[in-house]
């Protein structure tokens, strides 16, 4: 089967899929995401959303949509933080796009205190249209990737097959994909033999761009590269360690780098403007995470204050241990939105 089908089955198979059966997040799970590291992350994104609502002209009804909410921690932190902007909170209906039943239950628990309408959907296409703010943290990296391998006669699909012992192994599809060269970005077309080029179905990015025609903005946070590149980035993480993606299907989290160049190109197809992508560290500092950390430390015990400092470093540090540079933030908006907060004075652009 193609790598994309393998990845999709491993993650979302209704009985054996990783997200279907396990609670992968947090310090006791397999990996930790930014909202699970600190409440500051969701709080700042909540205030970002409230200020975007302001520059949208304060519409009376707004869909606040999150793709792949995990445990629901980010939305819970958002809805708590925006209590200081009651008119925004009252305008909001929350829409969560989630395939996993067990995670939906987890999200219900996290959001039990939220007194605004909350609706769940299996796909972005099912969310009602209208002015909206879309949020996605570590969602796109979980969408299946296709891997293509350069051969002398063109690009072949990378597939997964069984070896003589019944274990999984990679193989190369026998025929070249017709005309595939035309879809590979120009700067990668002369790739050496055996190079791998990854691509994702553009369906979600296109749908997001199409929906932004009804007004609003989107914030996409994920790890990946700014320009399309070659290389195999499929990775498996199990109990905070890298594992072989072909071992224990459904037992490890599988993800792959987000190609922000391709994502931006698809999401701006219908006229949306793009800001960034910029580093997560720069974005969070522009939103004032240093001030928020200082305010929280003032009220905290010495032990909690130390934990806040560690979380702050993890979220913004641009080194190996931090998410600051590896993670990128892409903003998208309807052209009538004059400026997206958090992206400095950079003029919006499209690729
Ligand atoms: N945003 C959360 C969780 C990230 S993990 C956080 O930052 O902690 C990815 C999330 O996307 C999970 O909730 C998973 O169940 C969901 N998901 C994965 N593939 C999906 C798909 N195709 N459609 C909808 N949700 C999906």
């Amino acid at each position: 089967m193609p790598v994309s089908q393998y990845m999709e089955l491993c993650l979302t198979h209704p009985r054996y899929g990783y997200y279907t059966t396990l609670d992968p997040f947090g310090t006791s799970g397999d990996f930790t995401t930014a909202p699970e590291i600190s409440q500051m992350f969701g709080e700042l994104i909540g205030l970002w959303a409230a200020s975007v609502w302001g520059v949208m002209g304060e519409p009376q009804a707004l869909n606040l949509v999150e793709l792949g909410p995990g445990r629901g921690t980010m939305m819970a932190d958002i809805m708590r933080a925006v209590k200081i902007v009651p008119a925004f909170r009252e305008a909001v209906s929350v829409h969560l796009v989630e395939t996993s039943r067990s995670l939906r239950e987890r999200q219900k628990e996290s959001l039990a205190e939220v007194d605004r309408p909350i609706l769940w959907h299996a796909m972005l296409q099912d969310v009602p249209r209208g002015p909206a703010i879309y949020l996605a943290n570590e969602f796109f990296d979980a969408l299946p990737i296709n891997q293509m391998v350069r051969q002398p006669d063109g690009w072949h699909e990378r597939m997964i097959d069984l070896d003589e012992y019944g274990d999984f192994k990679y193989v190369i599809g026998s025929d070249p994909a017709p005309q595939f060269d035309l879809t590979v970005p120009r700067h990668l077309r002369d790739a050496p033999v055996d190079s791998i080029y990854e691509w994702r179905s553009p369906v979600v990015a296109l749908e997001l761009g199409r929906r932004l025609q009804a007004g609003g903005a989107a914030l996409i946070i994920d790890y990946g590269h700014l320009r399309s590149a070659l290389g195999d980035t499929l990775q498996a993480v199990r109990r905070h360690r890298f594992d072989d993606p072909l071992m224990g299907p459904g037992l490890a989290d599988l993800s792959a780098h987000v190609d922000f160049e391709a994502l931006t190109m698809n999401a701006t197809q219908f006229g949306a403007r793009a800001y960034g992508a910029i580093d997560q560290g720069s974005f969070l500092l522009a939103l004032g995470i240093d001030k928020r950390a200082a305010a929280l430390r003032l009220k905290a015990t010495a032990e909690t204050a130390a934990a806040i400092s560690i979380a702050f470093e993890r979220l913004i540090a641009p080194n190996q241990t931090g998410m600051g540079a590896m993670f990128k933030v892409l903003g998208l908006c309807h052209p009538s939105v004059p400026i997206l907060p958090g992206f400095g004075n950079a003029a919006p652009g499209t690729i």
Side-chain angles (χ1 to χ4, degrees):
M1 64 173 74
V3 170
S4 57
Q5 192 184 352
Y6 175 78
M7 189 170 170
E8 184 161 10
L9 283 172
C10 287
L11 291 179
T12 61
H13 184 281
R15 186 139 169 226
Y16 301 110
Y18 178 73
Y19 287 124
T20 327
T21 52
L22 300 166
D23 179 3
F25 311 103
T27 39
S28 57
D30 290 307
F31 64 101
T32 312
T33 57
E36 303 294 339
I37 290 174
S38 167
Q39 67 184 75
M40 294 186 285
F41 187 79
E43 289 170 347
L44 291 169
I45 290 183
L47 299 177
W48 177 88
S51 77
V52 171
W53 172 74
V55 291
M56 284 168 70
E58 305 191 357
Q60 280 191 348
L62 180 89
N63 289 333
L64 185 60
V65 186
E66 186 179 353
L67 301 172
R71 284 179 170 179
T73 308
M74 183 168 95
M75 191 54 84
D77 292 338
I78 289 173
M79 293 307 281
R80 196 185 54 255
V82 300
K83 283 187 176 160
I84 61 170
V85 195
F88 168 71
R89 206 165 182 278
E90 276 150 35
V92 160
S93 303
V94 175
H95 294 268
L96 303 175
V97 178
E98 176 61 69
T99 39
S100 157
R101 263 168 204 254
S102 56
L103 286 175
R104 281 186 185 199
E105 290 308 314
R106 194 75 178 69
Q107 291 153 19
K108 251 175 223 156
E109 283 169 31
S110 303
L111 297 168
E113 310 273 289
V114 175
D115 54 359
R116 299 298 311 153
I118 307 178
L119 291 124
W120 276 264
H121 310 275
M123 294 198 301
L124 178 58
Q125 280 84 338
D126 302 335
V127 176
R129 282 162 194 272
I133 295 178
Y134 299 89
L135 305 169
N137 185 60
E138 292 212 45
F139 171 75
F140 282 89
D141 69 26
L143 296 183
I145 45 150
N146 295 77
Q147 293 188 328
M148 308 301 289
V149 189
R150 177 87 219 186
Q151 296 293 281
D153 61 349
W155 293 91
H156 294 234
E157 180 100 41
R158 197 179 192 207
M159 322 269 280
I160 291 164
D161 202 350
L162 293 177
D163 67 13
E164 59 198 285
Y165 308 105
D167 293 326
F168 290 133
K169 64 168 181 184
Y170 289 113
V171 293
I172 297 178
S174 51
D175 297 319
Q179 310 288 333
F180 191 78
D181 227 4
L182 297 177
T183 71
V184 176
R186 225 169 271 279
H187 67 282
L188 303 178
R189 285 191 196 159
D190 294 330
V193 167
D194 290 337
S195 303
I196 291 179
Y197 169 69
E198 296 178 340
W199 63 277
R200 277 191 170 85
S201 157
V203 168
V204 182
L206 288 171
E207 176 65 15
L208 198 56
R210 203 178 288 122
R211 288 172 158 268
L212 286 173
Q213 290 176 316
L219 196 66
I220 297 166
I221 305 160
D222 224 310
Y223 79 106
H225 39 269
L226 294 177
R227 295 223 60 199
S228 301
L230 298 171
D232 171 8
T233 74
L234 180 64
Q235 68 174 40
V237 175
R238 199 169 167 184
R239 297 195 194 95
H240 298 273
R241 296 230 168 122
F242 288 111
D243 204 350
D244 180 341
L246 301 190
M247 295 290 279
L251 299 176
D253 178 56
L254 294 188
S255 67
H257 278 213
V258 172
D259 176 347
F260 277 94
E261 185 176 358
L263 179 57
T264 308
M265 209 164 61
N266 291 318
T268 53
Q269 206 70 207
F270 300 100
R273 286 199 184 138
Y275 284 83
I278 63 170
D279 291 351
Q280 175 173 302
S282 315
F283 181 75
L284 293 176
L285 285 168
L287 297 188
I289 192 171
D290 47 342
K291 294 178 198 75
R292 182 71 189 129
L296 285 174
R297 270 194 299 258
L298 268 184
K299 290 187 280 181
T301 59
E303 201 183 333
T304 313
I308 293 166
S309 299
I310 291 169
F312 170 77
E313 278 303 313
R314 274 188 81 182
L315 290 174
I316 66 148
N319 55 26
Q320 285 278 314
T321 53
M323 308 175 91
M326 182 69 167
F327 278 73
K328 313 282 190 301
V329 184
L330 171 67
L332 297 162
C333 62
H334 187 275
S336 66
V337 174
I339 184 124
L340 276 188
F343 292 89
N345 293 323
T350 47
I351 288 187

